[in-house]
Amino acid sequence: MYNARVKNYQKEALKTRVAGADRYEIIQMLMAGAIEKMVLAKVAIDKKHLEAKSEHLSKASAILGALRDCLDFKVGGEVTENLFSLYSYMIERLIDASIHNDVKIVDEVSNLLKEIKSAWDAIPVEIRNQTFAENSAHAS
């Protein structure tokens, strides 16, 4: 009963955060969520909880797929192409990690995503706002 209440609270807190977030913050939350799922997968692998491992790696892969699929090739050019390839590679590696129950592969992917996230987190708010304004003007 307690765990159900905690999960319900976490879902509602996440909905509130997403509702007030801009695109950059949503990407940050997605990346953090994927990293969290990989941590949980490593714990599950260590404890030989294979069902939980599969669930967490599947969710991490789905998040990486969502990040990959929302890339804008019209705007990003070569950087976007490289990110697309990197996200695809990370998804493939998580499949390998799941097949082989290998925490080292999970660490590899987690570290790659942490590097991307740290660069994303370092984008100044002014640049975010400018990019948002430019993209909104182009969409009109």
Side-chain angles (χ1 to χ4, degrees), residues 24-36:
Y24 283 90
E25 293 166 327
I26 290 171
I27 299 294
Q28 287 171 317
M29 286 187 265
L30 286 169
M31 289 180 186
I35 292 166
E36 178 184 348

Side-chain angles (χ1 to χ4, degrees), residues 85-101:
S85 295
L86 188 55
Y87 284 135
S88 296
Y89 171 79
M90 289 190 283
I91 292 166
E92 290 173 19
R93 293 299 285 158
L94 288 182
I95 293 168
D96 292 340
S98 185
I99 291 168
H100 302 292
N101 295 316

Side-chain angles (χ1 to χ4, degrees), residues 75-120:
V75 177
E78 185 178 343
V79 172
T80 301
E81 291 173 17
N82 291 340
L83 275 173
F84 186 91
S85 295
L86 188 55
Y87 284 135
S88 296
Y89 171 79
M90 289 190 283
I91 292 166
E92 290 173 19
R93 293 299 285 158
L94 288 182
I95 293 168
D96 292 340
S98 185
I99 291 168
H100 302 292
N101 295 316
D102 192 334
V103 294
K104 290 179 185 175
I105 297 173
V106 179
D107 281 335
E108 172 196 352
V109 175
S110 181
N111 289 334
L112 287 169
L113 187 56
K114 286 175 184 176
E115 285 185 44
I116 295 169
K117 186 177 183 315
S118 68
W120 189 260

Side-chain angles (χ1 to χ4, degrees), residues 4-77:
R5 287 185 188 154
V6 170
K7 284 191 174 202
N8 191 38
Y9 172 79
Q10 290 172 330
K11 283 182 183 179
E12 291 305 315
L14 180 60
K15 285 181 189 176
T16 302
R17 283 184 61 206
V18 169
D22 65 25
R23 287 188 242 180
Y24 283 90
E25 293 166 327
I26 290 171
I27 299 294
Q28 287 171 317
M29 286 187 265
L30 286 169
M31 289 180 186
I35 292 166
E36 178 184 348
K37 291 299 176 190
M38 285 185 259
V39 168
L40 294 171
K42 286 174 45 181
V43 170
I45 291 169
D46 286 340
K47 293 185 176 203
K48 300 192 183 344
H49 295 157
L50 301 183
E51 186 177 331
K53 171 217 57 172
S54 295
E55 179 182 330
H56 295 307
L57 289 178
S58 177
K59 287 182 180 179
S61 293
I63 293 169
L64 291 171
L67 290 167
R68 179 189 63 192
D69 294 343
C70 74
L71 293 170
D72 187 348
F73 287 90
K74 294 176 188 169
V75 177

Side-chain angles (χ1 to χ4, degrees), residues 112-132:
L112 287 169
L113 187 56
K114 286 175 184 176
E115 285 185 44
I116 295 169
K117 186 177 183 315
S118 68
W120 189 260
D121 292 345
I123 298 172
V125 174
E126 304 80 42
I127 300 297
R128 293 179 187 181
N129 292 338
Q130 177 185 354
T131 303
F132 181 73

